[in-house]
Every structure is written in C-alpha cells, then in structure tokens.
Amino acid sequence: MEICRDGKSIELTEQELFLAYQEQEHIYDMENVKGDLETHLASGDYDKLREDKFFIEEAAYLLRRYLDKKNMSYEFAIEEAIKDAVGLINFEGV
C-alpha cells in the first residue's frame, strides 16, 4: 500500500501496514474509553482518572482484548474494561 506523508509517496510493507492499523486501532480504543469514562465511573473516580494516561491505555488494551479474544459485545466490553482497569489501578496503590 502506498501512502502520502509530507508530500512524499511511501510504499508500506505488509508488516508496516499491519503495525499502522494496530496503532490506529489503539488510538481509537483510547478515544472510546475516554468517551465512556463518565458513564462507567463514579464522579470522584472520573475526576481522578480522566487524564490518567496509564489508566486510559490499560482500559483500551483490555477493551481490545475483550472484543477480540472474548467476543464480548462493545457495551459489555467497555464497561468491563473500565471496571477492570480501575481494579488494577487500585491494586497497584495508585
């Protein structure tokens, strides 16, 4: 596949294309987590965690894992991912 970056054409290998896809998927998952935090967290937790990059990345990782490996519905996967990420944060004493 060929992409255009800074006015230059670049040919991506299959591996580079796959890695770019995974990167975009992770960014999308993080945005979904951020968008659903307020729905799935108590207000005090939301205020503490909405800007916590580690928490958001962990919840996004769990979301993708639940969607791909456990075949959960999106609604259930996002709820579980956020809940489980909170458990990891609390377990680590953060």
Side-chain angles (χ1 to χ4, degrees):
M1 173 177 199
E2 191 173 297
I3 63 168
C4 186
R5 186 170 284 158
D6 297 327
K8 296 179 183 178
S9 289
I10 301 169
E11 185 71 32
L12 295 179
T13 66
E14 272 189 50
Q15 183 178 9
E16 290 169 330
L17 185 58
F18 180 71
L19 291 173
Y21 172 80
Q22 285 184 316
E23 182 180 337
Q24 286 301 308
E25 186 176 62
H26 184 67
I27 291 167
Y28 178 73
D29 290 343
M30 288 191 320
E31 291 300 317
N32 283 336
V33 166
K34 287 178 188 178
D36 281 320
L37 280 180
E38 197 166 12
T39 303
H40 298 291
L41 289 176
S43 62
D45 287 338
Y46 173 75
D47 291 337
K48 286 189 276 185
L49 296 173
R50 68 182 172 173
E51 299 297 326
D52 186 321
K53 186 176 179 168
F54 174 79
F55 170 77
I56 301 234
E57 286 185 357
E58 187 63 31
Y61 167 78
L62 291 171
L63 171 61
R64 181 56 41 197
R65 185 171 176 198
Y66 295 164
L67 289 171
D68 291 348
K69 303 226 188 252
K70 295 192 176 190
N71 296 319
M72 292 181 179
S73 70
Y74 174 81
E75 293 80 15
F76 188 63
I78 191 87
E79 182 179 351
E80 289 297 301
I82 291 170
K83 180 183 79 171
D84 292 348
V86 167
L88 288 172
I89 295 291
N90 289 337
F91 179 77
E92 293 174 4
V94 175

